[in-house]
Amino acid sequence: DTCGAAENDAPWTHAGPATYNDFTVPANMTSAGAIQASVLAGGNKYPSRWLVGFANGGVWSTPASNISSDLPAWNPRLDGQPVNCYSISALAVSAFDPDVVFAGCGGSTSSEEGDDWNVVNDGNWGGVMVSSDAGLTWKMTSFPPNHFVTGIVAVDAQTTIVSTRSSLYDPNDGGVWKSTGDEWQKTLPYPAFGLAYDAKGSKRIFAALALESRTVFMSGDLGTNW
């Protein structure tokens, strides 16, 4: 598909948040780092609520209204929440309910020296978080901590697939995980850059592997077999 801005020859406009030029941002936004993920959540209930995940700043969202020509009001959504990670590497809206949003933790890319894990809580770091109100409040899921999450696909209320590139203690300990309720199982034991879901009535999931061959694997049963 052709991007609307290019098709209509319309200029791109800044929608915030930012730490450059003449835009005014909250004081605690200056160290948020690069945006690593963004989604449009909420469906008809919360139209045009954008969520963005930062390398060092957690999840921020716009109000439940359309983005206008003026800067929308961006608000931090992890402050005071029962979560243990502010380095966001993946965001995903569920295929079954636009109010349900997942956020995955990953190393910060704000350093020229590579991934900075921003470890907290004595190694019980990160994981996958979930929101049931389009990003307003969050809690941790039962996904194993200490993994660099690169992709999330939420198929239904019981099935979520997560790809990881590595773990905190082993750079080769990546893979693709599948949940059935609160239980998680690694179904593909190779580091992965991300996931794609064919949501048009099929059960196909694609995983881009972080191997030298840059292989793409496909599952025809929602991530159980590859």
Side-chain angles (χ1 to χ4, degrees):
D1 294 337
T2 302
C3 176
E7 181 180 1
N8 300 322
D9 198 27
W12 287 89
T13 58
H14 177 73
T19 57
Y20 58 89
N21 293 341
D22 297 325
F23 298 108
T24 301
V25 297
N28 61 343
M29 198 63 181
T30 56
S31 62
I35 293 176
Q36 298 193 134
S38 64
V39 293
L40 181 61
N44 294 328
K45 187 176 181 180
Y46 306 108
S48 298
R49 171 171 289 164
W50 279 97
L51 303 176
V52 294
F54 284 88
N56 297 312
V59 176
W60 290 63
S61 79
T62 61
S65 61
N66 291 324
I67 295 179
S68 66
S69 58
D70 298 324
L71 284 178
W74 289 89
N75 297 286
R77 293 304 180 190
L78 297 187
D79 291 359
Q81 299 293 308
V83 299
N84 61 2
C85 176
Y86 289 83
S87 180
I88 307 302
S89 55
L91 287 168
V93 179
S94 72
F96 64 94
D97 185 347
D99 289 351
V100 178
V101 186
F102 290 84
C105 299
S108 165
T109 58
S110 59
S111 170
E112 293 181 357
E113 298 178 357
D115 297 327
D116 174 10
W117 284 89
N118 296 329
V119 180
V120 296
N121 293 345
D122 297 326
N124 186 22
W125 175 91
V128 175
M129 299 171 282
V130 64
S131 169
S132 59
D133 51 15
L136 294 182
T137 59
W138 296 84
K139 64 180 181 179
M140 300 301 298
T141 69
S142 59
F143 186 79
N146 304 323
H147 286 85
F148 189 144
V149 177
T150 56
I152 304 171
V153 170
V155 178
D156 55 43
Q158 295 295 316
T159 307
T160 305
I161 296 93
V162 172
S163 62
T164 63
R165 198 182 77 188
S166 58
S167 72
L168 176 61
Y169 303 107
D170 185 349
N172 298 312
D173 184 26
V176 177
W177 302 69
K178 180 178 180 177
S179 75
T180 52
D182 290 333
E183 299 294 328
W184 291 87
Q185 180 182 4
K186 183 186 284 188
T187 60
L188 187 62
Y190 304 112
F193 281 129
L195 299 169
Y197 173 43
D198 182 2
K200 296 181 179 179
S202 82
K203 297 183 178 182
R204 293 188 298 178
I205 302 282
F206 298 87
L209 302 189
L211 304 174
E212 292 184 3
S213 60
R214 298 298 191 265
T215 306
V216 174
F217 272 47
M218 184 187 78
S219 169
D221 55 7
L222 296 178
T224 300
N225 297 287
W226 297 85

